[in-house]
Amino acid sequence: MKVPFLDLNKQYQSISKEIDEAIQRVILNSSFIQGREVDEFESAFAQKQNSSHCIGVGNGTDALIIALKAIGIVAGDEVIVPANSFIATSEAVTAGGGKVVFADVEPDTYSINPQEIKKKINSKTKAIIPVHLYGIPAEMDKIVQLAKECNLFIIEDCAQAHLAEYKSSTEGWRKVGNFGQISTFSFYPGKNLGAYGDAGAILTNNEELAIRVRMLANHGRIAKYDHLFEGFNSRLDGLQAAILNVKIKYLEEWTEDRRRNVAHYLKLLEGIEGIEVPRIHSNSKPVWHLFVVKAHKREKLIEFLSKHEIQTGIHYPKALPNLKAYQYLNHNSAEFPISNYNQDKVLSLPLFPEMMMEQIEFVVDKIKEFYKH
Ligand SMILES: *Cc1c(COP(=O)(O)O)cnc(C)c1O
């Protein structure tokens, strides 16, 4: 049985008529940049995330850079990011004019460890960027507490966590993206809500920040040639917005399908020696962008699964401080023990909403077979 890592084509087939019509509509109206589709999507996404303001931008990396500019990052400001994430999180800090400071992650949830954040805070620290990695919410209660105590901004990187929920001890269940001052999303095609090209968004409940973000993303202007400062050209385009307007209607359903698939995996994987599964706290409802386990003898397992036509991934093969891009920070590997352990063990198993139960059972059967030998 063939098990692809992800099957975007299968999803397209299920909504092709609506998608094709949406694309046609944008072309006929020539509403390529901004326009009605973008407005519609911004309000639909804000509503789904229970946030007051949504600003569509070019992609999730731009969203982070613009968010950093919006909170006023200047040269010398330090921004704390997890040692285990996609490089966009840290890259944006540098591009936004700040200095990258890594903090190690938690073993169970893979997200940034509040204790480790605390160790990295000093007088130059301006912001924290927690990432809800793989769709699992970070420990926001403790991070919010720290940020309050030290007067820091929080930018939540929600690129992998559309609709994920976290139960705050003071405010109850809330969607991620509402715990800091500002949050960022990616609609890269493979993300839980994916466009057919690059796209992203910024959410905030602060009106002043919303206005600033909207100007930053559009050449620092409000009216056509009235530029109040220099910004960027990073706008959500009409075609991507129209596609997202179709897909957002299915996001809850697809999220439930992901949850059902992961529940099935977790049940079947129980007690397999050689595999560690993520442990989810009761105050968190993940949306499972990826289903990441820690596998012993990982490379051999990947080879075995691939021989049986099961595709897997590694997110990410190198912890950020170990990348050549960050050699200049002169970290040694003992500084991030969990991230270093993870880079050698993490394995992303196939996961997408349209996956069949038999495919999951086949994957787990093969994993069992591998560890038996
Ligand atoms: C995908 C991703 C981004 C960047 O999004 P793009 O739209 O690809 O620029 C940022 N952070 C994380 C954690 C991501 O997974």
Side-chain angles (χ1 to χ4, degrees):
M1 186 185 310
K2 263 204 171 92
V3 189
F5 184 66
L6 176 70
D7 193 345
L8 291 178
N9 190 269
K10 199 164 176 183
Q11 185 174 77
Y12 169 66
Q13 296 306 334
S14 72
I15 51 172
S16 60
K17 195 164 167 288
E18 284 179 278
I19 292 279
D20 295 354
E21 280 170 12
I23 291 172
Q24 192 78 69
R25 194 166 62 234
V26 173
I27 296 171
L28 288 174
N29 293 335
S30 304
S31 52
F32 300 114
I33 306 289
Q34 303 186 306
R36 210 179 78 195
E37 296 284 350
V38 174
D39 295 344
E40 244 172 61
F41 176 71
E42 287 179 343
S43 42
F45 192 61
Q47 198 184 350
K48 283 265 187 275
Q49 288 289 144
N50 300 120
S51 270
S52 337
H53 307 277
C54 170
I55 300 97
V57 295
N59 57 67
T61 310
D62 280 1
L64 283 164
I65 298 170
I66 291 166
L68 284 155
K69 288 284 183 198
I71 63 165
I73 289 290
V74 295
D77 287 345
E78 295 189 359
V79 180
I80 300 174
V81 302
N84 186 23
S85 181
F86 179 57
I87 193 173
T89 313
S90 47
E91 193 179 45
V93 172
T94 313
K99 180 175 185 293
V100 176
V101 175
F102 291 115
D104 207 2
V105 297
E106 301 210 11
D108 288 352
T109 62
Y110 308 100
S111 291
I112 194 164
N113 183 336
Q115 237 79 45
E116 297 298 316
I117 297 178
K118 200 167 178 176
K119 291 185 200 161
K120 301 292 170 101
I121 295 175
N122 63 43
S123 59
K124 291 183 193 145
T125 312
K126 182 86 183 251
I128 307 166
I129 309 185
V131 180
H132 306 298
L133 199 67
Y134 314 144
I136 305 171
E139 274 299 313
M140 293 314 296
D141 265 347
K142 289 179 194 152
I143 297 170
V144 168
Q145 182 69 30
L146 265 179
K148 277 201 180 124
E149 281 167 20
C150 306
N151 202 17
L152 306 175
F153 285 100
I154 295 176
I155 299 173
E156 293 176 74
D157 182 344
C158 305
Q160 306 188 357
H162 320 70
L163 301 188
E165 288 175 67
Y166 179 84
K167 189 180 178 191
S168 119
S169 56
T170 50
E171 292 170 275
W173 287 102
R174 300 185 80 185
K175 297 267 163 60
V176 296
N178 291 296
F179 293 93
Q181 286 67 40
I182 194 162
S183 65
T184 64
F185 289 78
S186 166
F187 307 117
Y188 177 82
K191 297 284 159 80
N192 288 24
L193 178 59
Y196 289 169
D198 276 315
I202 295 171
L203 295 185
T204 178
N205 291 306
N206 178 316
E207 188 167 5
E208 248 170 79
L209 273 178
I211 293 169
R212 201 169 155 73
V213 163
R214 203 173 277 291
M215 291 171 70
L216 275 166
N218 192 18
H219 301 293
R221 69 182 158 194
I222 300 181
K224 194 156 189 186
Y225 292 112
D226 198 5
H227 306 273
L228 302 194
F229 47 82
E230 290 178 331
F232 303 89
N233 174 3
S234 185
R235 299 168 299 214
L236 178 59
D237 76 66
L239 280 172
Q240 299 310 333
I243 289 159
L244 290 168
N245 277 328
V246 172
K247 292 181 85 175
I248 197 170
K249 292 184 285 178
Y250 301 95
L251 185 57
E252 268 128 0
E253 190 184 318
W254 289 336
T255 301
E256 284 315 310
D257 291 344
R258 285 176 185 277
R259 287 177 171 147
R260 180 204 58 205
N261 293 345
V262 168
H264 202 50
Y265 263 128
L266 286 170
K267 195 179 78 200
L268 298 173
L269 283 169
E270 215 176 79
I272 298 183
E273 218 157 305
I275 293 279
E276 289 173 66
V277 298
R279 248 179 290 276
I280 301 309
H281 305 159
S282 61
N283 60 350
S284 138
K285 286 186 199 154
V287 291
W288 303 111
H289 171 55
L290 296 167
F291 181 56
V292 177
V293 300
K294 294 183 212 178
H296 296 261
K297 299 196 218 129
R298 182 182 65 185
E299 312 312 322
K300 288 243 157 57
L301 174 61
I302 291 171
E303 206 180 298
F304 181 80
L305 294 176
S306 147
K307 235 178 6 204
H308 290 94
E309 299 188 300
I310 298 167
Q311 279 180 359
T312 55
I314 298 178
H315 301 87
Y316 298 89
K318 269 193 182 177
L320 294 173
N322 297 338
L323 291 170
K324 189 137 189 257
Y326 295 107
Q327 233 172 28
Y328 71 94
L329 291 172
N330 282 318
H331 285 302
N332 72 60
S333 56
E335 290 175 66
F336 308 100
I338 307 297
S339 297
N340 279 307
Y341 178 86
N342 286 359
Q343 75 173 15
D344 298 331
K345 293 279 190 297
V346 287
L347 176 67
S348 309
L349 297 179
L351 178 70
F352 48 96
E354 300 78 11
M355 227 180 150
M356 293 178 303
M357 291 294 138
E358 300 79 59
Q359 289 180 305
I360 295 171
E361 284 150 23
F362 181 70
V363 173
V364 177
D365 279 348
K366 289 297 156 199
I367 292 175
K368 280 186 178 155
E369 200 179 311
F370 173 79
Y371 285 113
K372 236 188 264 157
H373 301 309

